[in-house]
Amino acid sequence: MHTLNQILHVVTTALVFLGAVPLLVAVVQFLLVGLQRFRHLYEDRPLHTPRTAVLIPAWNEAPVLASSVEGLLRMRYPPDRVRVVVVDDASTDATPEVVRELMAGHPGQVVHLRREDGGQGKAHTLNHGLAHVLDDDWAEAVLVMDADVVFDRDALLRMTRHLADPGVGAVTAYIKEGSGKQGNYLTRCIAFEYITAQAAARRAQNVLGVLACLAGGAQLHTRESLEAIGGRIDTSTLAEDTVTTFETQLTGRRVVFDGYATVLAEEPGDLAGLWKQRLRWARGNLQVTHRYRHLWFRPWKRREGHRLGSVLFGLIWYSLLATPVLLTVCSASLLYLYFTDSDRSWQLFHWLWVINLVCYLLIILMAAAVDPGTFRRCWREALLYPGVVSTCILVITALPAVFLPLLEKAGLFTDDGSPQLLMIVVYAWMGLALPLAWLAKLLSGTRARFLAPVLLHLVGYGSLLAACLVVAWAQERRNAELKWDKTEKTGKVAAGR
């Protein structure tokens, strides 16, 4: 029995530090960003302006469509080398009228395709447009975007320059949260998330030579690359963009992220909308993980012309998917040690949160360096991104000599070392925050909806994403219907420009 207890203590001691893995992996990605210069992605790229067909899937996009298309046609790109194809997915609002007005104002540059049998999802809508575009030989490249996305004037030129390299099959841009002054706490959290998940993570993936996902709102493909993957977008998953990204690389073509090609997009400003969007993304990523299970952690696959089997790429991918498990196991291990060896549990708890604090401060500083403009708008949300409770734990564990005496005076510890409810909650917080984040989502649809943002501030935005992933796992396990829930757009990006 004594030996068994020793083994359990050794195992749980190791498992405690699983709670630091997501932040450690994020730091590694930020450190890789500095190596991007050695990939020579932006050097000596000649001006390259292929004839580009822009595909815009549109279902009830009247509030945002006109500004997006007008912005496209004002870009610094030869007007005779751009055609905008709006694929109207049986819209029931004023979308057809908006497109007709755009066609009248830009004859020959705007095309209206109407699907009478709509509602099947974005991939089906895009395939309707791709069949039209690839039916003749005019288009040399195809830009897939969302109806609410607003491109910077140089964005397309920056993207097409990479296609001068015949080894590049697709390029994606840096999508920024674009509501500006029209936004709120949630959209500013998304803005900070996109610095880490796009501006940093995708630059790191450029260094690794493998990209996880072409941004759905701004992805540019060569005609040859699209034809090599069958000329169609996958319709069997909720992650059609990721499947397209993987399939493109499996043909031996490279996929590139250009962080200087920037576009603005409207993101959900309420908890219900965000949950619906991220649940779709999470389920899609789980489907991709299973679909390409033969690729993970197989670096020798590089001989086949791609690096999807890279060990580091696999660690990055799985550290995100496993976040709920890592946090829950960490909390359970701390609780076990708390009840069996309280002194040891405190030491481990202290070092775990010190590691998290150092990692998080590095992430914040590097995020400010990667995208200073966006960071200035959302720095408060960046500081409180882990949630008020986790932020307090980070500060207290960083300076225990200052704060612990105060907590002892407040009666949070006892001289006899008996368990304290608050300490149990704190030790379990990483895992406990997930169901509380899910509760915040549930409250958003009730009369007590005013409590949802309060609870979300306490548990943190990251906990919400982790909770969403748990629900996605559950839905996949029971083979829930693959429903493509559209994110409602109101035109905040255009209004904020």
Side-chain angles (χ1 to χ4, degrees), residues 133-418:
V133 168
L134 299 179
D135 191 47
D136 62 48
D137 59 2
W138 183 86
E140 298 170 323
V142 178
L143 174 66
V144 176
M145 61 173 282
D146 291 333
D148 67 296
V149 168
V150 177
F151 278 66
D152 284 351
R153 293 198 66 191
D154 292 328
L156 184 55
L157 273 177
R158 292 183 183 277
M159 295 173 76
T160 56
R161 62 180 170 167
H162 297 282
L163 301 187
D165 181 348
V168 174
V171 184
T172 192
Y174 172 24
I175 295 187
K176 297 185 179 186
E177 197 289 317
S179 59
K181 294 181 179 179
Q182 303 275 327
N184 56 22
Y185 163 79
L186 202 57
T187 58
R188 289 190 293 272
C189 281
I190 295 172
F192 176 69
E193 176 200 3
Y194 281 8
I195 299 177
T196 61
Q198 290 197 51
R202 287 177 178 162
R203 280 183 169 94
Q205 290 164 22
N206 277 343
V207 174
L208 297 176
V210 55
L211 205 69
C213 183
L214 292 157
Q219 50 180 279
L220 178 71
H221 303 264
T222 65
R223 182 190 189 95
E224 293 78 10
S225 181
L226 283 173
E227 290 176 340
I229 63 173
R232 293 179 58 80
I233 304 297
D234 178 74
T235 59
S236 64
T237 74
L238 292 172
E240 71 284 342
D241 303 327
T242 309
V243 171
T244 300
T245 308
F246 275 52
E247 291 297 322
T248 299
Q249 292 169 104
L250 286 173
T251 66
R253 293 171 172 83
R254 290 190 292 116
V255 178
V256 175
F257 169 72
D258 192 320
Y260 298 101
T262 58
V263 300
L264 299 178
E266 180 179 339
E267 299 299 336
D270 62 85
L271 195 51
L274 179 67
W275 184 271
K276 180 172 68 174
Q277 179 195 64
R278 298 313 174 89
L279 184 60
R280 185 179 76 242
W281 292 5
R283 288 194 65 191
N285 285 337
L286 291 172
Q287 292 158 7
V288 167
T289 303
H290 179 72
R291 179 174 182 149
Y292 296 101
R293 59 193 179 278
H294 60 287
L295 295 176
W296 301 113
F297 301 104
R298 289 172 171 82
W300 55 88
K301 292 286 186 178
R302 181 175 177 177
R303 294 194 295 270
E304 299 177 6
H306 64 82
R307 300 185 181 183
L308 290 166
S310 162
V311 173
L312 185 51
F313 178 67
L315 288 174
I316 291 171
W317 181 277
Y318 273 92
S319 70
L320 292 174
L321 287 185
T323 295
V325 174
L326 298 177
L327 299 182
T328 303
V329 169
C330 172
S331 294
S333 300
L334 277 172
L335 286 176
Y336 171 80
L337 290 170
Y338 179 66
F339 286 105
T340 58
D341 188 346
S342 59
D343 290 339
R344 186 181 185 84
S345 69
W346 165 250
Q347 292 173 356
L348 294 172
F349 178 82
H350 170 69
W351 283 111
L352 169 68
W353 282 89
V354 167
I355 292 171
N356 281 336
L357 176 62
V358 172
C359 289
Y360 198 66
L361 289 177
L362 285 172
I363 290 170
I364 289 176
L365 290 173
M366 289 187 282
V370 169
D371 188 350
T374 301
F375 186 81
R376 282 194 295 271
R377 179 164 65 90
C378 63
W379 67 269
R380 295 177 184 84
E381 284 70 27
L383 292 175
L384 291 175
Y385 193 84
V388 173
V389 174
S390 291
T391 302
C392 290
I393 295 174
L394 287 169
V395 173
I396 291 170
T397 51
L399 300 169
V402 175
F403 291 102
L404 288 186
L406 299 176
L407 295 177
E408 289 176 356
K409 289 181 179 179
L412 301 182
F413 298 104
T414 58
D415 295 335
D416 61 2
S418 61

Side-chain angles (χ1 to χ4, degrees), residues 52 54 72-73 77-84 108-109 138 156:
T52 302
V54 183
L72 277 172
L73 299 177
Y77 203 86
D80 61 332
R81 303 185 75 78
V82 177
R83 288 181 185 172
V84 179
Q109 278 194 287
W138 183 86
L156 184 55

Side-chain angles (χ1 to χ4, degrees), residues 39-101:
R39 298 292 294 180
H40 306 293
L41 294 173
Y42 308 111
E43 298 175 8
D44 302 322
R45 288 288 183 265
L47 184 68
H48 185 59
T49 56
R51 295 189 301 271
T52 302
V54 183
L55 277 185
I56 306 179
W59 178 71
N60 291 351
E61 302 285 7
V64 298
L65 187 59
S67 60
S68 296
V69 174
E70 294 288 358
L72 277 172
L73 299 177
R74 286 196 300 268
M75 286 192 299
R76 294 189 182 95
Y77 203 86
D80 61 332
R81 303 185 75 78
V82 177
R83 288 181 185 172
V84 179
V85 180
V86 180
V87 188
D88 177 4
D89 191 39
S91 296
T92 56
D93 69 347
T95 294
E97 289 77 10
V98 171
V99 180
R100 283 194 286 269
E101 291 177 5

